[in-house]
Each structure stands twice: as C-alpha cells, then as structure tokens.
Amino acid sequence: MTIKEYLIVAAAIGFMALAVWADAEKNRQWKEFARDHECRKIEEISGATSIGYGIASNGQGGMITTYTPGKTGWACNDGVTYWREE
C-alpha cells in the first residue's frame, strides 16, 4: 500500500471512531436529561421496511427499499413528549 492509501484508511478509521464517540455522547446526554426531567417511557413504535418500485433518473426501473427506524416516546416533567429513534 502507498502512503496515500494508508492515510485514507487511517482517516476512515478515525471517522468511524468519531461517529461511535458522538453516538455514545448523545446517549449519555439523553440519559442525563431523562434522569433530570423524570422521563418515563410511554410508547414504542416498531420500525418498518417498505419495498416498492420506481424509475431512476436514467430511466431504468428498479426496486426501492425504504427503512423507517422504530421510535420510543418519553413523557417528561416539562410537559413535552420526546421521541427517540431506536
């Protein structure tokens, strides 16, 4: 491998590590908020996968798959219901 390829791999690994850290930080902040605002789980909505057919910009037809993640509703003492993706 060349130096350029090593740098690309290192940048990709760094980006993945940053994404994992950011997700963990987001979850930590939510848990702190939920604790401070006495949030309780009130509802869950399952995720869904939809399959359909469409036409691409080049005129070719094809199958389209769409995924909608599940959500959990949390009622908090500030009077707001917060929805979080699973």
Side-chain angles (χ1 to χ4, degrees):
M1 284 178 49
T2 66
I3 296 292
K4 184 177 180 179
E5 291 169 329
Y6 280 115
L7 290 173
I8 291 171
V9 170
I13 291 170
F15 178 75
M16 288 187 300
L18 181 63
V20 168
W21 174 83
D23 189 53
E25 178 63 15
K26 181 179 170 184
N27 285 332
R28 185 197 65 75
Q29 289 176 352
W30 166 252
K31 286 179 182 179
E32 183 178 322
F33 177 88
R35 183 191 69 236
D36 293 346
H37 291 87
E38 301 170 350
C39 299
R40 59 186 172 80
K41 187 189 312 187
I42 58 167
E43 190 173 352
E44 289 185 32
I45 299 173
S46 299
T49 301
S50 302
I51 299 174
Y53 296 92
I55 299 176
S57 60
N58 64 4
Q60 293 185 336
M63 187 168 56
I64 300 169
T65 304
T66 305
Y67 174 71
T68 304
K71 296 179 183 180
T72 302
W74 297 85
C76 301
N77 67 4
D78 60 359
V80 177
T81 299
Y82 296 90
W83 289 92
R84 296 193 32 90
E85 288 185 2
E86 297 176 351

